[in-house]
Amino acid sequence: MIRIVPLLAAALLSGCGLGTGTVSADIDRLHPGCKLEKIRSIHYLNDGDRFVLAKFTYTCPGDNYLKYGNWVYTKGMDTGFTTYCCVREATAEEL
């Protein structure tokens, strides 16, 4: 539960052309100093295009192992030029 709090509290809005750049920037904001290692998969949930699950690995300074991340991006406002998203940690059911 404690790991979810920073994700919910941050309520990050980022351009949701979801890919390496977006996930990397969100890791940097939520876990300063940590870096994206590899995106394992990105796919839509529930046959729609509002929820996107991103599975990835990342590393942090001082750790000698990979950490795994599973975030759900929820598409929000669409300006016609950019679609904005909020990110949160995935639930067990979504994995």
Side-chain angles (χ1 to χ4, degrees):
M1 182 66 173
I2 293 174
R3 292 190 60 195
I4 295 174
V5 172
L7 289 171
L8 295 175
L12 294 176
L13 288 174
S14 59
C16 199
L18 194 57
T20 304
T22 302
V23 175
S24 181
D26 289 341
I27 289 171
D28 192 47
R29 284 184 212 132
L30 292 168
H31 304 288
C34 297
K35 300 293 177 204
L36 176 67
E37 182 73 22
K38 179 181 177 185
I39 292 197
R40 297 180 358 232
S41 69
I42 293 177
H43 65 273
Y44 293 107
L45 297 176
N46 300 330
D47 298 329
D49 66 347
R50 185 157 185 242
F51 300 101
V52 181
L53 174 64
K55 294 182 175 188
F56 56 92
T57 55
Y58 64 102
T59 57
C60 296
D63 293 337
N64 58 357
Y65 56 91
L66 286 175
K67 294 184 178 191
Y68 290 85
N70 300 291
W71 289 347
V72 173
Y73 286 81
T74 304
K75 291 185 179 184
M77 182 177 64
D78 186 350
T79 65
F81 297 103
T82 303
T83 302
Y84 292 92
C85 291
C86 293
V87 63
R88 65 174 171 79
E89 194 152 342
T91 64
E93 294 81 21
E94 292 168 327
L95 296 176

